[in-house]
Amino acid sequence: MPDQPLFEMAGVEGRTLEELRDAASTCTNCHLYQDATQTVFGKGPQRARLMIVGEQPGDKEDLAGEPFVGPAGRLLDRALVEAGIERQTVYLTNAVKHFKFTPRGKRRIHSTPNAEEIKACRPWLDGEMAAVGPAVVVALGATAAKALLGASFKVTRQRGEVVDRDGMKLTATVHPSSLLRLKDPERTEAIEQFVADLRATAALLD
Ligand code: SF4
């Protein structure tokens, strides 16, 4: 379980999404703001019943200032359609709001946020959850799952498990970027399983 219960970080309770977005745009709670282009805050309806939490913005998201607009986001879009979920009804965000990367020539290679960075960014995620009040929250990948469900949570073994907390159902599956790294036939099978997980998530909303 997380060290700190949801919503207990100071200064986020009672703030609207717009207020939180404005405040996060100048956040310096950790060093990641220094090299990234901008804060990539969550996006979606104020009263979304389903919230999806990824790890951090990628290269495309960092430049666009929006979550899930790169290759992994496009895969997520297709999977949502197949699972019968309309993307515009979902609030999409990340556990960490700045892009962490390692420069390699002209490219910026994704680098996984560490526990300190995830903790530093936690107030924004808590604020989003408090402001939106989703019925179901699904974490994508190990980083988001650990942030939401605790450091001992293992997506490989526990994907699809549902935890009831603070009036919400929390669950986790893989991050679509991990599916992009696979080759067929494993990739097709993994995408089918990902869609099945999202379909099960949608069923929690009924
Ligand atoms: S990653 Fe999060 S905590 Fe760190 S500077 Fe960006 S918004 Fe703030």
Side-chain angles (χ1 to χ4, degrees), residues 24 27-33 39 96-98 117 120-121 124:
C27 179
T28 56
N29 282 355
C30 78
H31 69 107
L32 293 181
Y33 76 95
T39 306
V96 170
K97 312 296 193 217
H98 275 107
E117 292 151 356
C121 216
W124 303 122

Side-chain angles (χ1 to χ4, degrees), residues 174-192:
V174 296
H175 195 286
S177 63
S178 69
L179 307 177
L180 292 172
R181 291 193 289 272
L182 297 174
K183 296 212 180 332
D184 273 331
E186 287 79 11
R187 184 175 183 167
T188 301
E189 283 170 23
I191 291 174
E192 281 170 10

